[in-house]
Amino acid sequence: MTAQHAHHIIAHLEPESDIIHVKDSMIVVNDSDHSWDKIVMLDWAHAFSSKDTPLANRFAEDFKNKFQFAPEDHRGKTVFKSDTQKLDFSLKRKSKQQDIIELTLENPLQPGDSKTIVWEYDVIIPEDDFTGYGKSSTGNYALRYWYITPAVYENGAWQYFSHKGMDDYYPALADYSISLHAPSSHKAVTNAPIITAALTDSKNSYLIKGKQLGGIELYLEQNLEGYRNFGVPQLDVTTDIEDVNIPPEMKALFIDRISGFLNEKLGPYAYPNMLITERYYKEDPVYGLSSLPSFINPFPAGFTYEIKVVKAMTRKWLESGARLHPRDENWLQDGMMVYLLQLYHERYYPDLKIAGKLSEVWGIKGFKVTQLGFNDQYAFLYLNSARLNIDQSITTRADSLVKYNQQLGTINKAAIGLKYLQDYTGGDAVDKTIKNLYLQNTLKTAHLSDFKTLLEEQTSKNTDWFFNDYISKYTRMDWKIKRVKKIGDSVKVYLKNKSDRDLPVAIYSLKNDSIVEKLWIDHVINDTIITLSRKRANRISLNYEQLIPEFSMRDNFKTLKPFTFNRPIELRLFKDIEDPERAQVYVMPDAGFNVYDGFTIGARFNNGTLLTKPFRYNIKPIYGMLSKKLIGSLGFSYTHNLEKHDEKLFLVRYGLSANRFSYAPDLLYNRASSWLHLGFRPKDLRSNKREFLSFRNVIVNRDRDPLNPVNEPDYSVFAINYSHQDPNFRRFFSYNIGTEISGRFGKATFKTQWRKLFKDNRQLNIRFFTGAFLYNDTFKEGNFFSFALDRPTDYLFDYEYYGRSDESGFFSQQLVIAEGGFKSQLETPYANQFISTVNTSYSIWKYVFAYADVGLVKNRNTRLTGVYDSGLRLNLLQDYFEIYLPIYSSNGWEIGQGDYDQRLRFIITLDLNTLTGLFTRRWY
């Protein structure tokens, strides 16, 4: 065993100032074959030191605003107390990685030599709202990496990266001796043995020692009643994961069972004691139904507790052995963790459904999603990535993954791959490989190459496809049965590989739902013909057991029965998961509202499952309770997802749509549209930058209003739009160039919007719009097609107006920020020749903004007119719920006028799909 780095720390906690005073006599050992002219240190606390650190930038990318808005004393940092000028090395922080310290040595540290570094520093503890670790609102402290420690040195280089809140800290193993002193109000729980504890009325002191540890977890709490200790063979487990409905004896049985399972599958845990906390579990929880509150928990007694503990213990167990690089090869550890969870469920809960007891409840059990086995959720969660065209290769560096992939998609894809590999190789080759990887690399650094070598020792089958294709490519996996041909007692099956993947696939002969024969086929590159014995089979299927996370299985079945559909039509209520053996039509009740139709009720017929699909249709006949008319909409679209990340074009979508609603009392409009939509994005999928080029033709037919006759109530408009979007939490930028061509008018427009959040949490918004008519033969008949200063007429029926024709009353005050973007209703509200406006707002206090708009309006036969308005903006939910209070405008002082309540404007969004985007943007 090579010598270890060692920490001899004296630490004092001051809860009044949230500071830990640290004096560390650190011994750094060069256990490599290279001399070191520098030593790289990791400083967890300093990742919180400013709004420009990699951690802060990551929060902004994920639209997490707590850190940005937090006061400085809620963020953490490290402050050195010792005079670093007197040390025999120079100390500096990396310019863009403030939590990384480089110690440049005066004399290089030779292989086998050691160096003692003695320094003192204060760790200012951050709030735990940011990452789950730090100081809680109740005055407790949860700390994992609270001291400065050396990074890992391997393969001739320092392996370091900044803390980004991804729970993948990577310090070198070290021996620890910590003398900890805290006020008597706080008691300590730690993952290392407490050698002595002196608890007095004035302070609590602890001596903590541990060898070959990746870190000292430290919980300083005022009440330790939530922690329980469970002794199982060769291991003591301490946890605060709780379930008040489960007696301690049952918890002990669960932990004993889990420990026995992991001992069998991996080998002994590397340390004599294990600490698993609720916070640790929440870093990587079991998403979904297992998180339901107890009063609707559909699972067997104790299952929710058990699944939380088994996942936390499995993760901790794997971390102690076969240490894999957490940014580059983290997927293998995560994949093994989920793979072992699947084996555990198969052994102890083989018949458990994903919906638990709800799968037997009338009205619920009819949904196919409730009949999924508990382990089926992993493939479902991965396929969401593939269907949304955000799939990334398993080997993608962790901090380059979209958050959904980092948390769910890639992890589950890796685990499914191990199950796929296990079935293909037969026997228990993968199980033995995982165990040997753990045993041979306990408390050592391991790599994917070690896994590959060990796997090759367990099987004679060629598994290069797993390493060269499955984990390294991200394009979809998809096969189909083109046709079958019966020849006597045999059947010829014509297969097609719809992707570029060189992966084995299993083909099945089925007797109804029973497997008659199963055969693995290698190298289905293009078209392949397979001959099978018919035996008792009446169906042929590819990937019947769904061992492969295939993009679509709708073309994986062929019947051998005459005069029988391969996929019979099935009518179902509400949304559900896709059934590859049925052509599903979903019927959903629909309700809505607008001023003229009143409340609307009806049904929506569509083929939309819980996972998106390329071809979508939506037919919605509804009835207006006020208008007493049949209205509604229909739409058909097809999406081509282009998967090559190195090409900017990623989306081609086209379709047809039509709708019919009331646009005024007793007046209907009919709109039909055909469109083509092209989407572009950068290679980095974490980037929010998107570009779109769209072409559409809109045909509108309106009922004639005898009180407001127009020469052309019916019209057709062809529009081309190009937009660039870069929506980020700190900085939002977009621009749009468009043109509209119709028989009697032509327009060109340009719009840009910029929003900046400054370090003092002030926000500045600037929007610019300009539009001009290329030609206009409609101006003599009114302003229906004119540019609007404050309330567009919406002749293309694009906006969610709830009272689009109202000129007074509540719904006339609904604001849509489009075209001129003004908030006050001025004497010159339209422009039939040219318009140019600037809309600005600046935050005063929290959600209160001051706004100001200025513009130029030009109408035929009139002079160029300057206009302006100003007031207060209550930004309750940006772009979704805002209130505008005019103060001064071209109308003069607006406050105090008798009709001021009618001058207020509001933005409100009731569409659930739009609101959902506020939350999903953090994941995708």
Side-chain angles (χ1 to χ4, degrees), residues 903-921:
R903 298 170 182 264
L904 303 181
R905 306 300 293 274
F906 63 87
I907 293 174
I908 187 168
T909 299
L910 301 179
D911 183 69
L912 291 179
N913 291 329
T914 304
L915 289 172
T916 300
L918 280 174
F919 307 98
T920 57
R921 65 184 181 177

Side-chain angles (χ1 to χ4, degrees), residues 572-591:
R572 300 188 63 83
L573 288 174
F574 302 104
K575 275 193 176 184
D576 204 345
I577 62 168
E578 187 174 5
D579 184 345
E581 301 182 51
R582 301 285 189 275
Q584 296 158 303
V585 179
Y586 295 103
V587 184
M588 299 180 65
D590 189 275

Side-chain angles (χ1 to χ4, degrees), residues 840-904:
T840 64
S841 65
Y842 186 73
S843 54
I844 301 173
W845 176 79
K846 291 187 177 180
Y847 56 84
V848 180
F849 286 66
Y851 75 82
D853 307 317
V854 295
L856 297 172
V857 175
K858 178 68 172 68
N859 284 287
R860 294 290 185 95
N861 304 319
T862 63
R863 292 184 305 169
L864 189 68
T865 303
V867 289
Y868 60 89
D869 70 2
S870 61
L872 293 178
R873 169 191 174 202
L874 306 183
N875 183 16
L876 304 175
L877 188 59
Q878 183 138 346
D879 301 327
Y880 296 91
F881 184 36
E882 304 179 23
I883 300 174
Y884 290 82
L885 294 80
I887 294 177
Y888 192 76
S889 71
S890 298
N891 293 330
W893 287 100
E894 305 221 23
I895 292 181
Q897 298 191 26
D899 60 349
Y900 184 72
D901 60 326
Q902 299 175 33
R903 298 170 182 264
L904 303 181

